[in-house]
Amino acid sequence: MKKILLFICFSGFIFAFVGDIIAQSVNVSAEIRPRFEYRHGYKTLFPDDANPASFISQRTRLNGFFANQNFKAYVSLQDVRVWGDVKQLNARDVNGFSVHQAWGQIFFGENVYLKIGRQEIIYDDHRIFGSVNWAQQARSHDAAILGLKFGGKHKIDVGIAYNAMGESLYKLQYENKNYKTFQLIHYHVNFGNSGLSILFLNNGMAYDAADTSEIYDEQVAYSQTIGGRFSHKAENFKFNLAAYYQGGKNAANHDLAAMYFGGDISLHLIENFSFGLGFEYLSGTSTVDQGDPDMKDQSFTPLYGTNHKFNGWMDYFYVGNGHGNVGLIDIYLPMKYTYEKLTFALIPHYFMSAATVSMPNQDDGTLEDLSSGLGTEVDFSVTYAAAKNVTIGAGYSTMFATETMRAVKQPAHYYGDNYNNSNGAGWIMVTFKPTFFSQD
């Protein structure tokens, strides 16, 4: 760690010394983000025989950026820990430092560039590709993206990624749960107060094929996600519409046919106050059809998006945990009020399953269909801008679940009544973003 700090300080000194000779931008910054969390039914229904969890996690980042007329480079080193997860006199950390981002971007003329290395990929509203910034570790990709800008309003990205477990002399099975490879095309155009984006993603997941040979021959199942998003912003309102289709094969190499559509509108009729209405539909596969090998998988997956942003801060859906692949309908009413340095947000959600949920009758074992209602969640937060580059935030969320929620989240405990338990989660977070050195 000392070597890293010395290297960054020395680099900053060199950049400053030669700044008068070469036109360039240099920035060395950091992020320190401790967060206290209380979990009593976070991500899933709280069981009867457990106590709530509480802990403090922390993200620490050290960032270095360089740019001149020929190329850009960015490095973000990251440490994620829970306070007390190692001894005070520890020889090493549980996770240790990692490289969150490390990329270079070279320019081929004014409007063509190649960005290559470990990087965050963010498109549009984070629904399919996002940074997942709420998670302390966040998300980044090892990828290469060729970008083209034209006409002053148009931008096209063509991206590829190819993953392996490590250097080897012969083919090895890719065992991580990441994609094995992907290819993407993203197009965006602005016109007036509106914008339109179109995304195509060919996503390849490694899977275990039938053992027909003594030589391992890795198989990759490809799904295709295609769709777009339209946005419009006026003086007193804004709205967004999006739709996507997924076809091809799922991660288990079964046929896939799924869809997504959503929209939201936000009104700013009162100074410092906004309210709106939003709707999302992510298709799912009914409980009965999931047991039929001849039926297609109809469950839409938002893949690499910032799911915490969309379907409630309790993270019951699509955030590293399942809900029976039955899809989701989410109706929500976002409200936000700003007073001087304070920002208040309140977002109620009503959740329903997109496909039919069935469970065996306790008396005779026959399947019976359940109500589509999964529950109601209410999210509240307040953020205070304490100083330049310093914010303090706090929030609390609560989930009012139904027996259908219990069926999709905890089918093994379907006949219990723990869905009536209180389910809530709270947090307090302080974010520091100092800039140690900056030169333009």
Side-chain angles (χ1 to χ4, degrees):
M1 179 61 187
K2 290 182 179 179
K3 293 181 179 179
I4 295 173
L5 291 174
L6 288 173
F7 172 76
I8 292 176
C9 292
F10 177 73
S11 300
F13 171 77
I14 294 297
F15 292 150
F17 179 76
V18 301
D20 294 333
I21 303 175
I22 304 173
Q24 60 188 15
S25 297
V26 180
N27 184 280
V28 180
S29 64
E31 180 183 22
I32 302 168
R33 195 176 83 167
R35 182 170 71 214
F36 167 80
E37 290 188 54
Y38 169 81
R39 296 179 173 181
H40 189 285
Y42 173 72
K43 283 194 174 184
T44 191
L45 301 174
F46 197 73
D48 296 326
D49 55 351
N51 293 316
S54 58
F55 56 88
I56 300 173
S57 63
Q58 180 170 323
R59 171 203 288 175
T60 305
R61 284 182 181 169
L62 194 57
N63 311 309
F65 174 78
F66 172 87
N68 63 22
Q69 61 183 359
N70 298 315
F71 76 97
K72 296 179 181 179
Y74 183 78
V75 176
S76 179
L77 305 177
Q78 175 173 275
D79 173 75
V80 175
R81 66 178 61 240
V82 172
W83 286 13
D85 63 358
V86 296
K87 297 178 181 179
Q88 291 180 342
L89 300 176
N90 63 303
R92 64 180 62 184
D93 289 332
V94 173
N95 295 312
F97 262 82
S98 63
V99 177
H100 177 58
Q101 295 195 75
W103 52 262
Q105 181 174 316
I106 186 170
F107 297 97
F108 303 98
E110 185 177 353
N111 296 315
V112 182
Y113 62 85
L114 175 65
K115 184 177 180 181
I116 187 167
R118 189 158 187 81
Q119 57 190 282
E120 292 183 347
I121 300 178
I122 302 170
Y123 288 127
D124 305 318
D125 60 347
H126 292 240
R127 199 58 182 115
I128 306 299
F129 278 98
S131 62
V132 195
N133 190 56
W134 172 257
Q136 296 285 40
Q137 72 276 13
R139 186 195 296 278
S140 54
H141 306 258
D142 300 313
I145 296 179
L146 180 66
L148 171 64
K149 300 178 181 178
F150 58 97
K153 299 179 179 180
H154 305 265
K155 183 176 181 292
I156 295 178
D157 281 354
V158 179
I160 61 171
Y162 184 82
N163 292 333
M165 294 300 296
E167 296 183 9
S168 62
L169 300 179
Y170 47 86
K171 183 179 284 189
L172 299 176
Q173 182 176 1
Y174 188 69
E175 297 178 348
N176 287 338
K177 294 184 179 180
N178 305 337
Y179 48 82
K180 171 66 180 179
T181 181
F182 72 62
Q183 302 83 42
L184 71 84
I185 300 174
H186 182 268
Y187 166 77
H188 181 79
V189 58
N190 292 314
F191 46 96
N193 294 325
S194 302
L196 174 66
S197 295
I198 298 174
L199 173 69
F200 172 78
L201 172 65
N202 187 43
N203 193 67
M205 302 293 293
Y207 70 97
D208 294 328
D211 187 12
T212 58
S213 171
E214 295 181 359
I215 300 176
Y216 176 71
D217 186 16
E218 183 176 64
Q219 302 296 310
V220 178
Y222 287 95
S223 66
Q224 294 77 43
T225 300
I226 184 169
R229 181 175 186 267
F230 175 81
S231 60
H232 179 79
K233 185 176 182 180
E235 182 178 358
N236 295 321
F237 76 96
K238 59 182 178 180
F239 70 88
N240 305 284
L241 294 171
Y244 298 95
Y245 173 81
Q246 282 181 345
K249 302 287 187 178
N250 65 13
N253 199 38
H254 296 153
D255 289 340
L256 173 66
M259 65 179 61
Y260 164 95
F261 58 88
D264 63 85
I265 184 170
S266 179
L267 303 175
H268 304 262
L269 304 179
I270 303 174
E271 185 177 4
N272 299 327
F273 177 73
S274 67
F275 66 97
L277 173 65
F279 171 83
E280 278 198 316
Y281 171 88
L282 297 89
S283 67
T285 309
S286 69
T287 307
V288 174
D289 289 345
Q290 291 179 35
D292 188 342
D294 296 326
M295 295 298 297
K296 288 186 176 181
D297 180 1
Q298 302 176 64
S299 302
F300 187 91
T301 303
L303 295 172
Y304 314 114
T306 305
N307 298 323
H308 177 84
K309 173 186 175 182
F310 292 90
N311 305 126
W313 300 342
M314 293 281 282
D315 290 341
Y316 270 54
F317 312 100
Y318 304 108
V319 184
N321 61 328
H323 59 283
N325 295 319
V326 295
L328 185 68
I329 297 173
D330 179 8
I331 302 171
Y332 55 96
L333 300 167
M335 291 170 276
K336 181 181 290 187
Y337 175 69
T338 301
Y339 177 75
E340 295 182 351
K341 296 183 178 182
L342 290 168
T343 300
F344 301 89
L346 179 67
I347 311 176
H349 293 259
Y350 180 66
F351 300 115
M352 295 179 287
S353 63
T356 303
V357 179
S358 305
M359 289 298 291
N361 184 282
Q362 190 172 10
D363 297 327
D364 56 17
T366 58
L367 287 177
E368 58 180 13
D369 296 341
L370 304 181
S371 167
S372 62
L374 294 171
T376 300
E377 178 178 333
V378 180
D379 300 324
F380 173 78
S381 71
V382 57
T383 304
Y384 174 65
K388 183 179 179 180
N389 299 326
V390 180
T391 59
I392 303 172
Y396 189 82
S397 301
T398 186
M399 171 69 77
F400 304 96
T402 67
E403 61 177 350
T404 307
M405 179 78 82
R406 176 188 58 191
V408 300
K409 297 294 291 186
Q410 299 176 346
H413 304 284
Y414 172 64
Y415 300 114
D417 60 358
N418 67 316
Y419 71 94
N420 289 317
N421 292 345
S422 173
N423 296 289
W427 54 274
I428 302 172
M429 182 168 70
V430 184
T431 304
F432 304 89
K433 291 187 175 182
T435 298
F436 300 134
F437 176 83
S438 181
Q439 175 186 294
D440 292 320

